[in-house]
Amino acid sequence: MSETVTTPLAVRPPTAAPPVLGGLGLFTVLLAAALPLVDFFIVNVALPAIGTDLAAGEAVLELVVAGYGVAYAVLLVLGGRLGDLFGRRRLFLGGMAAFGLTSLACGLAPGAWGLVAARIAQGASAAAMLPQVLATIQAATAGPRRARAMSLYGATAGLSMVAGQILGGVLVAADVAGTGWRAVFLVNVPVVLAGLVLAVRCVPETRAPRPEAVDGPGTVLLALSLLTLLVPLTEGRAAGWPLWTWLSLAAFPFVAGAFWAVERRADRAGRTPLVPPSLLATPSLRRGLLLIVPFSVGFSGFMFVIALALQQGAGLGPVPAGLALAPMAVVFLFTSLAGPRLIARHGSRVVTAGSVVQAVGVLLIVLAVRQDWPHLGVGSLLPGAAVAGAGQALQLPNLMRIVMSEVPPARAGVGSGVMVTTQQSALALGVATLGTLFLTLVPHVGMRDALVTALLAQLAGVALTGLLSLRLPRDIR
């Protein structure tokens, strides 16, 4: 008589369902993606009010912008690695809660240096939160849903940059409950509370199947590389270019070279470094990053310079200065919604067309500045801002989609950290380079011609983006 044999299948536990990011979950992570970028730009039109209220000099005001941007850029890749290691939802919730608390600290800062310290902490908390957004999208979506989510992420990023500047002007002028400039930071608190409630309910937990330990030497060397480049460029002009700025810039290529050597050695040894050279060998990621750099440098430099020129040169208040860019935001929004359909039909040529359209928009702004200065406003800037916004919308969402298109889900945290670090570093670099060019020229050639020169420098970056985009493969997944 034969015995009944229980097969392993009878006792095997059911396979866990793969994580799925639903519609409300996608809205939640996109809300979180908007917060750090809005906060990078929201202070541009608030700087004059902050300087007056806190008796802060130009160097300290630049630190209010640079401290946030540098801390954000330095820690982004580490934030992506920690999400892979401990769980992306856990890091997302912790980073978002910290972002709310540090925003509150910024809004309640009693003095200029307290505000600088709070801004640095705010940038660090953003670096813990933001990489989890892209990593979660990459790990919890697939196929057409992932393509749509990535397009929406890129649209959110671009719109947030323009909307932040507009929102900053409105909040400063509104003087909500007598808070003045502090409202640009305090507004984050209720948004973060709502986001935390939604995230607990709707954002799935994901993590790398084989997470690697934190790359200590790589983290330190990447931080030093970015600091030696970004700090002297952002602070050098206001500080009078002392010796330490030149020594720091001279040290940058050596520190960056040491970082790359350490990462290559770790990669060849079979470990997973902070920025794996093998990941950068992915063609779509490498080419996309090369395009994001000139685009982001020009974009952030333009936003910083136009905010100063409209307020200090054209004599506009914070609301008119912010609303002057409203056509750019509106056109960006509607054009980006058509992006997925255009990419499906025309592929990467949409990016090239976008650079041409943006170039036309920048030239129209240059003509408006030359003809109407100092009487600039929404009317005179509308044609150029609208056309430039359309061109930007055809580029940024699709560039981000290109970068992440071939990154495997297991390396989503690392890939998203690398991409956002590149973007954020380029944004900070744009403020430093174009901002320094503009402010250096103002005493010598006047505000109008300094602005025109900065816009033409941005135009060179747009042209470079267009030329590089010609090397992209036609199809974008």
Side-chain angles (χ1 to χ4, degrees):
M1 181 176 177
S2 63
E3 296 181 358
T4 302
V5 178
T6 302
T7 67
L9 291 175
V11 295
R12 183 176 297 167
T15 303
V20 176
L21 185 67
L24 194 55
L26 178 61
F27 170 81
T28 304
V29 297
L30 292 180
L31 176 67
L35 284 172
L37 287 169
V38 166
D39 251 60
F40 185 87
F41 289 94
I42 201 170
V43 298
N44 282 348
V45 292
L47 287 176
I50 294 173
T52 300
D53 188 37
L54 300 183
E58 189 176 295
V60 178
L61 289 178
E62 286 195 10
L63 277 176
V64 172
V65 179
Y68 175 87
V70 171
Y72 186 19
V74 162
L75 296 172
L76 272 165
V77 177
L78 178 61
R81 174 61 59 82
L82 292 175
D84 287 349
L85 187 61
F86 296 110
R88 292 154 187 155
R89 181 175 180 269
R90 182 180 300 178
L91 260 290
F92 179 81
L93 290 170
M96 180 176 273
F99 190 85
L101 290 172
T102 52
S103 296
L104 181 62
C106 289
L108 300 178
W113 287 106
L115 177 59
V116 170
R119 283 285 283 174
I120 292 171
Q122 190 186 34
S125 64
M129 173 177 64
L130 190 65
Q132 319 316 325
V133 174
L134 274 172
T136 299
I137 290 174
Q138 195 77 354
T141 60
R145 291 185 67 250
R146 179 185 296 171
R148 177 174 174 271
M150 285 301 302
S151 294
L152 288 173
Y153 175 87
T156 300
L159 188 61
S160 299
M161 297 178 196
V162 183
Q165 205 137 311
I166 298 171
L167 180 62
V170 172
L171 287 174
V172 171
D175 193 20
V176 181
T179 56
W181 61 266
R182 298 176 186 273
V184 304
F185 302 113
L186 296 175
V187 71
N188 291 331
V189 177
V191 177
V192 164
L193 290 174
L196 287 171
V197 172
L198 290 172
V200 168
R201 296 173 58 89
C202 305
V203 176
E205 180 64 281
T206 64
R207 65 179 70 206
R210 291 182 297 276
E212 298 284 343
V214 172
D215 174 15
T219 301
V220 172
L221 287 170
L222 176 63
L224 288 174
S225 299
L226 293 174
L227 288 170
T228 54
L229 176 65
L230 295 177
V231 171
L233 287 177
T234 53
E235 286 298 300
R237 188 199 61 83
W241 296 107
L243 179 61
W244 71 264
T245 59
W246 298 108
L247 293 176
S248 181
L249 289 171
F252 166 70
F254 297 100
V255 180
F259 167 71
W260 187 249
V262 166
E263 299 299 272
R264 286 185 64 187
R265 189 180 304 119
D267 212 11
R268 289 172 177 174
R271 302 189 300 273
T272 301
L274 195 69
V275 180
S278 58
L279 183 64
L280 294 178
T282 305
S284 61
L285 184 138
R286 186 178 64 253
R287 291 168 180 166
L289 292 180
L290 286 174
L291 286 158
I292 281 177
V293 169
F295 177 90
S296 298
V297 166
F299 190 96
S300 64
F302 166 79
M303 297 295 285
F304 180 76
V305 166
I306 200 73
L308 290 179
L310 291 177
Q311 290 187 87
Q312 297 181 4
L316 299 181
V319 171
L323 291 180
L325 299 177
M328 180 180 289
V330 172
V331 174
F332 187 103
L333 173 63
F334 286 103
T335 305
S336 62
L337 294 176
R341 293 193 299 273
L342 293 172
I343 283 288
R345 178 175 297 181
H346 303 291
S348 64
R349 297 297 173 259
V350 172
V351 177
T352 307
S355 65
V356 174
V357 173
Q358 185 185 1
V360 172
V362 174
L363 285 173
L364 290 173
I365 294 174
V366 169
L367 291 175
V369 171
R370 288 189 61 84
Q371 292 176 2
D372 298 338
W373 184 266
H375 306 293
L376 290 176
V378 176
S380 55
L381 292 176
L382 189 151
V387 174
Q392 292 160 355
L394 293 175
Q395 294 173 85
L396 184 60
N398 298 315
L399 289 178
M400 292 183 167
R401 182 173 164 184
I402 289 167
V403 169
M404 296 297 291
S405 63
E406 295 177 356
V407 175
R411 308 184 92 178
V414 177
S416 64
V418 170
M419 186 187 81
V420 182
T421 296
T422 302
Q423 182 196 24
Q424 184 62 36
S425 300
L427 290 175
L429 190 61
V431 172
T433 53
L434 290 186
T436 297
L437 173 66
F438 171 74
L439 292 171
T440 301
L441 289 176
V442 167
H444 303 289
V445 300
M447 186 78 71
R448 187 196 73 167
D449 290 343
L451 177 57
V452 168
T453 303
L455 289 171
L456 292 176
Q458 182 201 6
L459 189 63
V462 174
L464 179 59
T465 305
L467 290 173
L468 290 173
S469 69
L470 295 172
R471 301 183 61 188
L472 292 172
R474 179 67 181 268
D475 295 328
I476 300 177
R477 288 188 289 170

